[in-house]
């Protein structure tokens, strides 16, 4: 079963893209590659999705990601912001595994 995640680049002019994960065992590696380092998890309040970003993004001086900051506004402290490329995934399933990004977000 393949999973589909959404990559949202920090560059506002760059289009978002779909990452397809054929082997769930490779999920961590794919997430780390997509964000350029170790990952940090953010549980998004709405929609029923989660976000992964580079946990050292601010220390590394990665660029502001306006689209991701807007998406995470209700999930991060007031005044905080998201930097670098991010990956949107679905809710964690009962087994603790990632699921595909919500269809509403995949089809935007």
């Amino acid at each position: 079963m393949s999973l589909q995640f959404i990559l949202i680049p920090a560059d506002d002019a760059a289009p978002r893209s779909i990452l397809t994960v054929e082997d769930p065992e490779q999920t961590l590696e794919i997430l780390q590659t997509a964000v350029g380092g170790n990952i940090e998890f953010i549980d998004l309040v709405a929609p029923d999705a989660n976000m992964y970003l580079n946990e050292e993004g601010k220390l590394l001086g990665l660029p502001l990601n306006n689209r991701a900051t807007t998406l995470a506004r209700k999930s991060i402290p007031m005044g905080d912001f998201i930097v670098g490329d991010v990956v949107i995934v679905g809710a964690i399933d009962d087994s603790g595994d990632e699921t595909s990004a919500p269809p509403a977000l995949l089809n935007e």
Side-chain angles (χ1 to χ4, degrees):
M1 178 179 107
S2 66
L3 300 171
Q4 291 188 311
F5 302 151
I6 303 167
L7 174 66
I8 302 176
D11 179 353
D12 288 337
R16 66 191 198 116
S17 60
I18 304 299
L19 299 175
T20 301
V21 179
E22 297 295 339
D23 180 2
E25 296 287 324
Q26 295 179 328
T27 300
L28 176 60
E29 180 181 345
I30 289 168
L31 290 171
Q32 289 175 325
T33 299
V35 303
N38 291 328
I39 56 174
E40 179 179 344
F41 173 88
I42 295 179
D43 182 8
L44 297 176
V45 174
D48 192 18
N50 299 305
M51 178 184 293
Y52 286 98
L53 58 139
N54 185 315
E55 74 176 354
E56 296 179 330
K58 291 176 184 168
L59 293 173
L60 296 170
L62 296 180
L64 174 66
N65 188 323
N66 288 309
R67 293 178 286 183
T69 299
T70 298
L71 188 59
R73 180 53 47 217
K74 293 181 181 178
S75 304
I76 59 177
M78 183 61 76
D80 199 2
F81 53 92
I82 306 294
V83 299
D85 297 345
V86 304
V87 178
I88 305 299
V89 301
I92 304 296
D93 68 15
D94 292 337
S95 301
D97 296 321
E98 304 300 337
T99 61
S100 289
L105 291 178
L106 285 169
N107 298 323
E108 279 187 355

